[in-house]
Amino acid sequence: MRDYGRFDAFLSSLSADVYAEPVYEPHRSITREVIARLHGEGLIRAGMRALDVGCGQGVALAEFRRLGIDAVGVALGADVEVCRGNGFDVRDMDQNFMSFSDNAFDLLWCRHVLEHSVVPLFTLSEYHRVVRPSGLVYVEVPAPDTACHHECNPNHYSVLPRSAWRSLFVRAGFAIERSQSIDVQVPAGPDSYWSFCLRRSA
């Protein structure tokens, strides 16, 4: 029998790496712009059930609420109480072990969260489980080797090449509908994020 307790202990040892995500630019603007674009294209709409994985302090949740989307957030640490204080339904839950039922959501929003996973293929399998067949998944991750050196962030465990992400998405059962680079200028210099719109295969 394999000793999964060792892996569980390892994950528990990383809990000290969790930090709060206050709202700041350019993340607020990018979140609003992406949601507005997807809404304008009819890809997200009122009445959908959405899951915001790693919801931070609720920027996307506020946009979803404004659009009439029934959204639930998942976070760890202080952000949970901040969101609840603002009236959002947010659960204190690890993205790898979510207690939602299978096929529970039409939309899964995951912006700058997946890089925090030490086992991204496993994490993606959990995303696949909770999203309904043909459901939409939006993933955005930081690119490596930019001025910000996201790969050196002590809470970033999976800052991978774009080709590696694409392979993992397909292996986890998602079709890649589109991808793009989001290039921004921050105090440290030029930075890039990679965004992907995915569909869950049946």
Side-chain angles (χ1 to χ4, degrees):
M1 181 176 178
R2 295 176 180 173
D3 186 2
Y4 294 110
R6 290 168 56 194
F7 182 64
D8 187 55
F10 172 71
L11 292 178
S12 296
S13 75
L14 300 179
S15 62
D17 293 345
V18 175
Y19 53 82
E21 286 283 357
V23 180
Y24 60 94
E25 295 294 348
H27 296 285
R28 182 201 307 266
S29 295
I30 292 172
T31 297
R32 290 175 172 172
E33 289 167 8
V34 171
I35 291 174
R37 183 173 70 249
L38 295 176
H39 180 256
E41 295 172 354
L43 294 176
I44 62 174
R45 56 195 176 277
M48 293 181 82
R49 177 123 170 103
L51 174 63
D52 184 353
V53 178
C55 62
Q57 297 188 358
V59 175
L61 291 173
E63 294 302 302
F64 292 144
R65 181 163 62 186
R66 183 179 64 81
L67 294 172
I69 294 168
D70 179 18
V72 178
V74 167
L76 295 171
D79 289 339
V80 175
E81 293 307 318
V82 171
C83 286
R84 288 175 177 171
N86 289 322
F88 298 119
D89 180 2
V90 173
R91 319 291 173 85
D92 189 343
M93 198 179 294
D94 188 299
Q95 64 177 332
N96 295 292
F97 308 103
M98 296 186 286
S99 60
F100 304 111
S101 61
D102 295 356
N103 310 323
F105 299 96
D106 305 300
L107 165 68
L108 188 146
W109 175 270
C110 171
R111 190 174 178 278
H112 291 257
V113 178
L114 194 51
E115 67 271 17
H116 297 284
S117 174
V118 298
V119 283
L121 181 58
F122 180 80
T123 308
L124 286 166
S125 74
E126 183 70 344
Y127 293 2
H128 188 277
R129 182 185 68 78
V130 301
V131 174
R132 65 169 177 79
S134 300
L136 178 67
V137 175
Y138 178 82
V139 173
E140 189 179 309
V141 291
D145 302 315
T146 70
C148 290
H149 296 290
H150 296 284
E151 65 277 3
C152 296
N153 184 319
N155 197 12
H156 287 178
Y157 312 116
S158 299
V159 182
L160 307 177
R162 192 191 326 235
S163 58
W165 283 123
R166 295 179 69 91
S167 176
L168 286 172
F169 296 146
V170 172
R171 291 175 67 185
F174 295 104
I176 303 169
E177 290 199 338
R178 70 175 77 164
S179 66
Q180 71 177 68
S181 177
I182 300 173
D183 300 315
V184 296
Q185 189 72 27
V186 297
D191 199 12
S192 293
Y193 314 138
W194 294 330
S195 73
F196 303 87
C197 282
L198 313 174
R199 286 283 178 191
R200 186 197 138 167
S201 303

